Amino acid sequence: MPDIVLTYTDAARAVRKEVERVLRHKPAVEQVPLLAAFHRVLAEPILADRDQPPFPRSTRDGFACRAADIDGAKPLQIVGQLKAGDVWKGVPLAAGEAIEIMTGAPVPTGADCVVMVEHIKTNEDTLLVDSDRIVEPGENIVPAGAEAKSGSVIVSAGTRLAASHIAAAAACGYAIVPVYVRPRVAILATGDELVPVDHTPLTHQIRNSNSYSLAAQTKLTGAQPVILPVATDDKPEIESAIRSASGCDLLLLSGGVSMGKYDFVEQALMSLGAEFLFTGAKIQPGRPVVFGKLPQQYFFGLPGNPVSTMVTFLLFAQPLIAAFSGETHPGLRFMLARLAHDHRVKPGLTRFLPARVDFNIAAPQAAIISWQGSGDLASTAGANGFVVIPSDAEKLAAGDCVSVLLV
Ligand code: AMP
Ligand code: MG
């Protein structure tokens, strides 16, 4: 069995290399209704179908006029009114004239500024601009095409579509959106002790939670999980389960990758022709994580301890799945936070410790949760991130800036 144990950085680099390779081949494309495209990956750019805005748009409720005419002592003549949805059909605005205009209405020809309604006084059909107001040409007007020119790219292909992208697509008339077909990710939990979630386990048995955490994380990454039946710690059974996943883009195994006598996952992968890119990483949790290629697909052998399974998914599987989705910038999500307390660790491993991060303050704070190690799902359920402790750190103090891996 190969023994390729990498530092976190090198393991991440090994995955990144395969991410680049995967991104060279574009997935198949399907056309879906606009809202169904939410959180999918865009396959062709969204283009502006006309200038945006299509007309010089007033950004305020007020009066359209010529900036040069504004003189605190001389009233302007109000010659009409325009609301959003109207268009000025009269003659161009002449010197000394003003038109009452609402936000979103097209500014009539001849006017070069909009004075906010808050800054004028009206008297029947005339108005006076407050004497202390200096109004520049262009004020409160977005010129036609200033936001985007007709034909320009508004959202690039390879973007995972967020609400703002869906709004931009709607504005450009995309009732149907081309997106990449979602990759299929096979999930295979292994272990003699595992029973299904709806079974009452005997004292020595545990319920299979990893298939569900991995399926949920896979969905969050935008892919389709395919949960396979649990395999026992039996090499031929694991082999045949792996074979049954051959139609999927990627295979996630959980359990059976440690040094135990009944850890057969690597052996099974080996007899099916696997090439191993790493068989361990100097991280905690998740040290025994395995990554490689079978003739038909990539695989990750994730350690069975539930928190290790989730962390190694986030660190290594997620970027590769995102690449299979066609996402051009499949990145991990890290943020900076201040540590809420002192923390001591043994150096040597990059650690990802479950933490509660308070985001709702200007300088986010992270408190590491006390836990019983990588099998402690109960404590980790209270975490919303993992504080990253560099491999050479020994002592961190309250207030130190730390990186947090977001879930
Ligand atoms: P292993 O990686 O097979 O040595 O398993 C490590 C620990 O994770 C053991 O305590 C297992 O019982 C537990 N474990 C393995 N697979 C699962 C699973 N699918 N769901 C929950 N716990 C698991
Ligand atoms: Mg096991």
Side-chain angles (χ1 to χ4, degrees):
M1 203 59 51
D3 186 26
I4 314 165
V5 180
L6 305 181
T7 61
Y8 166 61
T9 314
D10 286 345
R13 196 171 290 138
V15 172
R16 184 74 224 173
K17 210 168 129 195
E18 302 313 310
V19 163
E20 302 294 344
R21 217 187 284 271
V22 169
L23 281 174
R24 277 184 228 136
H25 308 278
K26 296 284 171 240
V29 177
E30 61 180 325
Q31 308 288 334
V32 300
L34 177 56
L35 199 49
F38 176 57
H39 202 55
R40 299 288 299 271
V41 179
L42 187 64
E44 291 160 28
I46 299 279
L47 305 176
D49 65 330
R50 55 182 186 160
D51 281 357
Q52 287 186 11
F55 49 80
R57 182 178 61 213
S58 174
T59 63
R60 293 282 187 269
D61 295 320
F63 287 83
C65 59
R66 302 169 181 223
D69 294 350
I70 295 173
D71 168 347
K74 230 164 76 197
L76 300 176
Q77 191 70 32
I78 304 171
V79 296
Q81 194 199 70
L82 270 176
K83 54 183 173 18
D86 287 347
V87 62
W88 184 244
K89 299 209 181 73
V91 292
L93 200 82
E97 291 181 345
I99 290 172
E100 186 171 14
I101 193 164
M102 314 301 152
T103 303
V107 176
T109 324
D112 64 4
C113 69
V114 171
V115 187
M116 285 166 71
V117 69
E118 291 87 337
H119 300 144
I120 56 111
K121 306 244 170 343
T122 52
N123 181 10
E124 307 224 318
D125 55 358
T126 65
L127 71 87
L128 265 183
V129 177
D130 292 348
S131 56
D132 57 349
R133 271 321 286 173
I134 298 161
V135 183
E136 304 287 350
E139 200 161 306
N140 300 324
I141 298 174
V142 181
E147 294 166 352
K149 291 276 177 237
S150 177
S152 65
V153 174
I154 307 283
V155 187
S156 307
T159 303
R160 190 169 294 285
L161 297 172
S164 59
H165 304 124
I166 296 292
C172 296
Y174 283 75
I176 301 288
V177 180
V179 294
Y180 290 127
V181 170
R182 276 188 285 241
R184 282 157 48 88
V185 176
I187 294 170
L188 173 60
T190 69
D192 284 351
E193 74 279 35
L194 301 180
V195 297
V197 63
D198 56 355
H199 276 46
T200 305
L202 300 173
T203 316
H204 54 282
Q205 296 178 319
I206 56 152
R207 293 196 181 93
N208 167 23
S209 61
N210 289 346
S211 292
Y212 294 94
S213 61
L214 290 173
Q217 288 180 300
T218 297
K219 280 188 168 197
L220 210 55
T221 310
Q224 286 177 279
V226 178
I227 299 181
L228 302 175
V230 169
T232 60
D233 293 315
D234 174 75
K235 189 170 165 256
E237 192 178 328
I238 297 170
E239 282 175 21
S240 96
I242 293 173
R243 275 198 213 97
S244 77
S246 61
C248 291
D249 298 284
L250 193 100
L251 167 64
L252 303 177
L253 299 112
S254 99
V257 288
S258 303
M259 301 297 283
K261 226 173 169 173
Y262 296 93
D263 289 332
F264 292 125
V265 165
E266 280 167 272
Q267 289 176 38
L269 287 162
M270 185 90 146
S271 35
L272 293 172
E275 176 197 345
F276 292 89
L277 296 167
F278 56 80
T279 58
K282 293 181 183 164
I283 59 172
Q284 189 230 2
R287 200 176 201 284
V289 60
V290 173
F291 175 44
K293 270 187 231 178
L294 281 164
Q296 67 278 17
Q297 81 221 130
Y298 286 97
F299 65 83
F300 285 95
L302 307 176
N305 266 315
V307 185
S308 309
T309 316
M310 283 189 278
V311 169
T312 47
F313 176 95
L314 282 175
L315 293 175
F316 304 121
Q318 173 189 260
L320 196 61
I321 296 174
F324 273 109
S325 312
E327 208 175 344
T328 327
H329 300 290
L332 299 174
R333 297 188 314 138
F334 288 102
M335 69 176 287
L336 292 177
R338 300 265 170 212
L339 202 58
H341 49 75
D342 296 348
H343 190 80
R344 287 188 82 96
V345 276
K346 229 167 74 193
L349 301 175
T350 306
R351 291 172 207 266
F352 300 88
L353 303 181
R356 188 81 212 158
V357 190
D358 186 354
F359 299 106
N360 297 322
I361 45 180
Q365 267 210 345
I368 295 170
I369 290 174
S370 101
W371 66 328
Q372 300 300 318
S374 56
D376 189 350
L377 257 187
S379 302
T380 309
N384 58 357
F386 293 89
V387 164
V388 186
I389 311 276
S391 59
D392 57 354
E394 223 168 324
K395 232 168 57 187
L396 290 131
D400 279 359
C401 200
V402 287
S403 188
V404 180
L405 171 65
L406 298 179
V407 291

